[in-house]
Amino acid sequence: MVELLLVVGLAVTVFVGYNVGGSTTGPAFGPAVGAGVLSKVAAAALMSVFFFIGAGTLGRRVVDTLGKELVTRGDVFTLETSIVVLFFIGGALFVGNYYGVPASTSMTAVGAIAGLGVATGSLDWSVMGEIAVWWIVAPIIGFWVSGVIGRYFYPRINQWVAIDTTDGPLLEYERSGTIPRPTLGPNTTRREVGGAVTVVAIGCLMAFSSGTSNIANAIAPLVGAGVVDMNPMILLGSAAVAVGAFTIARRTLDTLGNDITDLPLTAAIVVAVVSSGIVVGLSAIGIPASFVIIATMSIVGLGWGRATRTATVGQGIRGEAETNVSVGALKADEPGDEPEGIGEEDPADIPAAADLFNPSTTARIVVLQNVVPLLSTLGALVAFGLLFRFVW
């Protein structure tokens, strides 16, 4: 019976890891895919490698946090309860992935474990409170830092990097030999190559950060129950993440890279630097980061900052400025065409384009990024409340 339950537990772990790969690949490499730097297959491959590196190094600490510290009673995590927790984590994440919305794996996992803790009276409220406070603060920081950069500093950053995409492919492959040899595209500039390398490198950093934080969401319950060792579970969880990155992550890559906005490379780099910096900072203090929401709010914040650059601060506060939030707000202008400060650019010069925030996409993201963790938390709370009352 124990062996059968263990097989079920491992299967649910794989299911959770699969959905983690689907949820986190979009925020890490969505900007690079949306900017045309990477294909979805290449993004999935890089996600798989760097997620495993992060999981095998710093991810061990977060596994201990979720598996041992969040719930105070050691006897709460059993093989049976771990399977139920993983079921709610994987099921809730699957809902978000099915609709193409990359929900926060950390919030979903912590919510399920917190539901177990509340139902059994073993939740460490001080640990939970610290995590929850950072979940609120971090996306706000991401939005405003990106907004300030978009409003005040984006023109100068664009002058420094000048990495607008050109027509045609970034790379082509010479297939005359046995092994295809990559070469620059016909219109590719050296600056564009430098920008592409930068945004891919930052995406790899975000994948690494995701591994440090999100491997725990798939394996912490079973490791905390003491039924399996950590090392083989890291291998199993990382493999499941790779499968998710190559399959269901295509939906979240579309959402983060294309549906929200058309990101030029300059904007993609800004978003990646801000969001990855916040995630690394939270990982350093042992907080399982809301990776997805931070990245999403950074994208929205940058778009808002760029859209309001034609208004002065006073006009914005008094509501006197009419803001046209469009894809043009994120389009990188030619170096030298941008003003060095705000309030100096004619709104008519902003390129006319489709709205930055597609209403249906924005609504779907806002709703499901809150509904998915709520499903996990309430589902676990109700299930464990009934199970411990009538079964255990």
Side-chain angles (χ1 to χ4, degrees):
M1 182 65 179
V2 174
E3 290 78 6
L4 177 60
L5 285 176
L6 181 57
V7 171
V8 173
L10 293 177
V12 180
T13 293
V14 169
F15 179 64
V16 173
Y18 169 78
N19 283 282
V20 168
S23 291
T24 59
T25 304
F29 291 100
V33 171
V37 175
L38 285 179
S39 67
K40 292 178 181 178
V41 172
L46 291 174
M47 181 71 195
S48 303
V49 171
F50 285 92
F51 184 97
F52 172 71
I53 295 173
T57 53
L58 301 180
R60 299 171 182 273
R61 179 180 177 184
V62 185
V63 173
D64 288 334
T65 298
L66 295 187
K68 299 177 182 178
E69 298 177 13
L70 189 57
V71 176
T72 56
R73 281 171 46 191
D75 61 337
V76 168
F77 265 130
T78 64
L79 181 56
E80 293 84 357
T81 60
S82 298
I83 292 173
V84 177
V85 166
L86 289 169
F87 171 79
F88 282 109
I89 296 172
L93 288 176
F94 182 78
V95 171
N97 286 329
Y98 179 81
Y99 287 100
V101 175
S104 171
T105 55
S106 292
M107 293 179 69
T108 304
V110 172
I113 296 173
L116 168 63
V118 172
T120 58
S122 61
L123 179 66
D124 190 326
W125 287 100
S126 62
V127 174
M128 186 67 236
E130 183 181 4
I131 293 173
V133 167
W134 278 111
W135 282 351
I136 296 172
V137 172
I140 296 174
I141 293 174
F143 176 88
W144 283 109
V145 170
S146 296
V148 169
I149 291 174
R151 185 176 172 89
Y152 295 99
F153 302 106
Y154 191 95
R156 191 173 297 278
I157 293 174
N158 189 49
Q159 289 177 343
W160 289 342
V161 295
I163 51 173
D164 295 330
T165 55
T166 57
D167 294 333
L170 182 72
L171 295 175
E172 292 182 340
Y173 293 91
E174 176 59 49
R175 303 182 184 276
S176 57
T178 304
I179 300 176
R181 183 171 57 89
T183 59
L184 296 182
N187 299 316
T188 302
T189 65
R190 291 188 178 276
R191 279 186 175 272
E192 188 178 3
V193 172
V197 170
T198 301
V199 76
V200 170
I202 295 171
C204 292
L205 174 61
M206 295 177 76
F208 171 84
S209 300
S210 177
T212 64
S213 179
N214 290 321
I215 188 63
N217 304 329
I219 71 172
L222 286 180
V223 173
V227 296
V228 288
D229 293 330
M230 188 179 298
N231 287 338
M233 289 302 293
I234 288 177
L235 289 173
L236 179 64
S238 297
V241 168
V243 175
F246 277 100
T247 55
I248 198 171
R250 293 176 176 272
R251 289 177 176 265
T252 56
L253 283 169
D254 283 336
T255 300
L256 268 293
N258 298 316
D259 289 353
I260 292 181
T261 183
D262 180 16
L263 286 180
L265 285 180
T266 304
I269 288 176
V270 171
V271 169
V273 168
V274 171
S275 54
S276 63
I278 294 173
V279 170
V280 168
L282 291 177
S283 298
I285 60 175
I287 301 296
S290 303
F291 181 85
V292 171
I293 294 179
I294 294 171
T296 303
M297 291 306 296
S298 295
I299 293 174
V300 175
L302 182 63
W304 175 85
R306 291 288 289 148
T308 60
R309 73 192 187 276
T310 59
T312 65
V313 174
Q315 289 174 328
I317 294 175
R318 293 190 298 269
E320 298 173 355
E322 181 177 349
T323 301
N324 178 22
V325 181
S326 67
V327 173
L330 281 180
K331 290 291 189 182
D333 298 348
E334 291 297 325
D337 291 346
E338 284 268 21
E340 293 189 2
I342 63 170
E344 301 177 17
E345 188 174 19
D346 187 348
D349 292 338
I350 300 178
D355 288 340
L356 170 65
F357 304 112
N358 180 284
S360 61
T361 300
T362 303
R364 191 172 78 246
I365 289 174
V366 171
V367 170
L368 285 176
Q369 283 191 342
N370 288 277
V371 167
V372 168
L374 190 62
L375 285 175
S376 177
T377 304
L378 294 181
L381 177 60
V382 172
F384 283 116
L386 294 175
L387 287 173
F388 275 89
R389 182 177 179 180
F390 296 108
V391 179
W392 277 298

